[in-house]
Amino acid sequence: MAKKKDDKGTNNPGLNTPLLDELEAGPWPSFVSDLKQWSKTKPQVAQLLNQLEESYENRWNYWTGTVLNVSGYGGGVIARLSDKADKYPDLAEFHTIRIIPPPGFVYSTERLRNLADICEKHGAGILQLHGLTGDALALGFDNEGTFAAAEDLMANGWDLGGSGAALRSLQCCVGQARCEMACFDTMKTSRFLTNHYIDFLHRPEFMYKFKIKISGCANDCANAMIGSDMPIIGTWRGPMQIDHEKVAEYIEEKGVEHVIDNVITRCPTHCISLKGKELVIDDENCVRCMHCINVMHKALKPGKDQGVTICLGAKRTLKIGDTMSSVIVPFLKLETDEDFENLTDLIDRMWEFWNDNGMDHERIGEFIARVGLGTFLEGCGIEPDPRMVQSTRTSPYINFEELAPGDFEGEQTQQPKVWNREPESRESSS
Amino acid sequence: MAIEVNGKMIEIDEEGFLVDRDDWSEEVSEAIANRDGIDLKDEHVGLIDYFRDYYEEHQVHPTMHVLVQRIGGKIGKKFREHKEYEKFLYMLFPSDPVSELCKLAGLPKPLPSEHDG
């Protein structure tokens, strides 16, 4: 959809957007082109573009937040008012509705048309589907439009939710529905958790937001590890499956050098070795990063005893800097109803402890950083495990003096009763 | 805007929050409740009193979290049972319990959450 420089903005005399027009240049599709097209149908979209242009010019954001709720719901509507309402009257109320997506974001075209029709009827008709937030956003409703649209959406089988200090709508990869790598049924898990915790999606009550994202394997297509408080990631235990014939075929086709360069040396724990035309994997040292499986996807497969790893604590900067998740439950089977009950029981316990003791606007990762993992595990009744590593040790040496009793080096001067050392700061945060 | 209570005009803003918070009395909160279409019963009045006491003590209105934890915590021991209390609150005040209660208790309007996105 590359646009020539000449026919920019010619069709919309009401638009004066020289800075935005720059975003139309280049080979990529542009939201400016789309919205310009759409502004012929909806006048408020032209005003939206003009206000954005003014924002770009003055480097100032003209949106103000406010509170608006559909009856019986605490979340689902993100209310925004424009400061420039006198200049752009249609933007005076420009609210966003958050719609809970289907698991795996798989829509039939009919449902998508239905959704588009409703949003067009009551609002500006702009849909923003599935950024990192995971929910379907419909933009541009005024107050009455919000209520009418919410009613229409619910009558058609959609549901709102997932804004404010609530459980956010769940996000998952396509999992076993479309992918051979998936270690568990992500879509079933996502659907089950959404139904089980639907109250928490509708009505915010937590200290702050809580996100659950579900990835079928360590490739993490749902961005769970960096983008959610509680990633549920598929893994396996025991040996991975090797098809030795396919390995030999692969080596014959690509050559030994290719295999050494791309598989053997890129194993983070160096647990693969090559013996003739056979791969030997030291499964005890395998960290299930899946790199070898991705490269030799015909020959290697995840092991047969599959389940999930549950982590905790990824977030963007707020009280402490950006963090990634760390393991809280190394392995959990997720197949029978009983397993799912175990999962919800675990989530309940963690939420309860976090909610009873957390401070305002504190994500669960920050809460753990404040009270310490030991306290958190004790509070939730989870057994500590050596695999709960927050960051790998960067130096194999420890400062021995600190740990040694005072008389280790001859004369005892003073006995440190409490080990009073600052926690090791992570290298990345400096 | 204003509403009439016992022959006296009480100043309120567009959404019904009191302009001068010293104007508050039980009759005033009843009048505002009528305006919003809520029939005040014992449960409502008890919560309004709780809001006023809490505000006097902390200089901040209770959040939904505080309500569910402190009052809901007395009803059931388990976390899931606390959540039932929130459902009950939404039954009493379908639009937005905390905002509505602040209005009826004559407290300032709650600020929108900074990070709702």
Side-chain angles (χ1 to χ4, degrees):
Chain A
M1 289 239 311
K3 275 215 161 191
K4 282 177 199 162
K5 271 224 159 190
D6 302 342
D7 55 3
K8 265 185 219 163
T10 42
N11 296 324
N12 299 295
L15 283 169
N16 178 27
T17 55
L19 288 174
L20 280 176
D21 289 344
E22 289 299 317
L23 296 176
E24 283 184 300
W28 303 104
S30 162
F31 77 96
V32 180
S33 306
D34 288 352
L35 288 183
K36 270 185 181 171
Q37 187 79 20
W38 187 231
S39 67
K40 289 176 205 161
T41 322
K42 296 271 182 185
Q44 63 260 53
V45 177
Q47 297 182 14
L48 184 67
L49 286 171
N50 281 338
Q51 184 184 310
L52 185 60
E53 173 71 22
E54 211 170 319
S55 284
Y56 279 16
E57 228 171 82
N58 302 336
R59 303 188 180 194
W60 191 256
N61 174 10
Y62 295 114
W63 295 111
T64 320
T66 179
V67 181
L68 183 75
N69 281 320
V70 182
S71 174
Y73 281 68
V77 181
I78 306 162
R80 289 286 180 276
L81 312 175
S82 173
D83 290 340
K84 292 258 166 191
D86 44 346
K87 203 169 168 190
Y88 309 114
D90 287 345
L91 301 186
E93 292 153 353
F94 208 79
H95 309 320
T96 301
I97 295 183
R98 281 205 169 147
I99 299 154
I100 300 177
F105 307 147
V106 183
Y107 298 86
S108 71
T109 51
E110 190 205 344
R111 293 295 286 158
L112 211 48
R113 266 187 220 111
N114 173 260
L115 178 63
D117 284 345
I118 295 169
C119 299
E120 209 173 302
K121 190 175 159 196
H122 299 289
I126 306 172
L127 279 176
Q128 188 194 355
L129 288 184
H130 309 316
L132 208 58
T133 337
D135 28 25
L137 299 166
L139 274 64
F141 299 90
D142 56 8
N143 281 355
E144 287 83 46
T146 307
F147 298 129
E151 222 158 84
D152 238 9
L153 285 168
M154 283 177 219
N156 281 285
W158 303 95
D159 200 359
L160 320 182
S163 76
L167 172 64
R168 299 304 178 83
S169 47
L170 278 75
Q171 196 175 347
C172 70
C173 70
V174 285
Q176 285 173 341
R178 292 277 298 144
C179 178
E180 77 276 22
M181 305 279 186
C183 292
F184 71 109
D185 195 341
T186 54
M187 285 162 116
K188 183 189 172 190
T189 314
S190 171
R191 187 182 146 73
F192 170 80
L193 288 177
T194 306
N195 284 338
H196 191 81
Y197 290 121
I198 194 74
D199 284 351
F200 293 83
L201 278 154
H202 287 166
R203 291 180 280 272
E205 170 246 329
F206 289 153
M207 305 313 307
Y208 202 21
K209 56 186 156 190
F210 194 90
K211 297 176 180 176
I212 300 178
K213 286 181 188 176
I214 300 163
S215 280
C217 69
N219 283 332
D220 200 2
C221 294
N223 281 333
M225 206 60 186
I226 52 155
S228 73
D229 292 279
M230 188 171 146
I232 301 176
I233 293 177
T235 188
W236 69 92
R237 53 186 172 188
M240 70 167 75
Q241 301 176 55
I242 307 177
D243 188 336
H244 289 292
E245 273 175 34
K246 293 270 169 64
V247 173
E249 260 175 49
Y250 187 89
I251 295 173
E252 219 152 89
E253 192 189 326
K254 302 266 183 178
V256 178
E257 263 183 20
H258 177 92
V259 176
I260 291 175
D261 289 352
N262 287 302
V263 183
I264 315 271
T265 55
R266 289 195 175 158
C267 176
T269 48
H270 305 295
C271 67
I272 311 178
S273 50
L274 197 60
K275 277 189 185 156
K277 290 203 166 171
E278 214 171 275
L279 280 187
V280 181
I281 297 175
D282 176 11
D283 284 296
E284 276 191 10
N285 283 322
C286 174
V287 288
R288 281 109 178 132
C289 75
M290 298 206 35
H291 179 263
C292 53
I293 300 180
N294 290 335
V295 179
M296 304 173 71
H297 48 89
K298 278 182 187 157
L300 303 173
K301 268 190 177 146
K304 278 186 176 156
D305 190 6
Q306 298 175 336
V308 297
T309 297
I310 296 172
C311 309
L312 217 56
K315 47 166 272 303
R316 283 313 304 263
T317 310
L318 190 64
K319 289 191 167 143
I320 58 174
D322 295 11
T323 55
M324 278 172 79
S325 299
S326 58
V327 174
I328 226 72
V329 177
F331 191 85
L332 188 75
K333 281 295 237 185
L334 212 54
E335 276 159 17
T336 60
D337 289 348
E338 207 178 312
D339 297 334
F340 279 98
E341 216 167 275
N342 281 343
L343 178 65
T344 54
D345 184 49
L346 179 78
I347 296 175
D348 278 350
R349 271 183 289 155
M350 292 200 279
W351 279 354
E352 183 168 6
F353 189 63
W354 169 49
N355 258 291
D356 286 352
N357 302 296
M359 294 201 289
D360 195 29
H361 272 61
E362 193 172 43
R363 298 278 287 265
I364 199 160
E366 292 158 338
F367 174 65
I368 295 174
R370 180 165 63 85
V371 302
L373 187 62
T375 318
F376 181 78
L377 294 178
E378 205 175 297
C380 304
I382 303 169
E383 283 292 311
D385 188 289
R387 282 168 290 187
M388 295 168 180
V389 182
Q390 196 159 41
S391 56
T392 47
R393 202 167 54 186
T394 47
S395 158
Y397 301 103
I398 49 171
N399 197 346
F400 202 60
E401 280 166 36
E402 275 174 313
L403 295 177
D407 61 351
F408 190 78
E409 290 171 319
E411 203 174 316
Q412 181 171 351
T413 47
Q414 68 186 95
Q415 182 81 43
K417 278 271 193 305
V418 188
W419 184 28
N420 232 345
R421 203 183 63 159
E422 284 292 309
E424 248 179 55
S425 61
R426 297 176 62 182
E427 282 193 342
S428 56
S429 64
S430 61
Chain B
M1 244 177 157
I3 46 168
E4 194 181 333
V5 182
N6 293 342
K8 213 175 134 193
M9 294 305 278
I10 305 282
E11 199 74 17
I12 56 171
D13 69 5
E14 275 173 21
E15 288 169 75
F17 287 90
L18 287 181
V19 174
D20 183 2
R21 282 194 272 122
D22 295 335
D23 282 341
W24 189 87
S25 68
E26 277 174 27
E27 288 82 26
V28 171
S29 86
E30 217 164 278
I32 299 174
N34 278 336
R35 180 184 170 277
D36 290 354
I38 295 170
D39 188 16
L40 280 195
K41 298 221 171 67
D42 281 356
E43 295 95 343
H44 301 85
V45 175
L47 278 166
I48 292 169
D49 287 346
Y50 180 74
F51 262 62
R52 286 190 69 79
D53 290 348
Y54 190 95
Y55 188 83
E56 208 164 289
E57 199 177 322
H58 297 91
Q59 293 300 306
V60 64
H61 68 82
T63 56
M64 179 55 87
H65 178 81
V66 171
L67 285 177
V68 171
Q69 207 187 335
R70 299 253 173 100
I71 309 181
K74 286 187 177 138
I75 295 167
K77 270 197 176 157
K78 274 197 185 152
F79 185 57
R80 295 286 298 174
E81 289 161 356
H82 299 190
K83 198 71 187 170
E84 289 300 307
Y85 183 68
E86 194 185 25
K87 243 182 194 172
F88 174 70
L89 283 176
Y90 271 90
M91 239 163 63
L92 295 182
F93 306 98
S95 61
D96 183 353
V98 173
S99 169
E100 190 69 40
L101 273 163
C102 282
K103 195 193 286 183
L104 294 178
L107 307 182
K109 189 184 169 188
L111 294 170
S113 172
E114 295 149 49
H115 299 275
D116 64 354

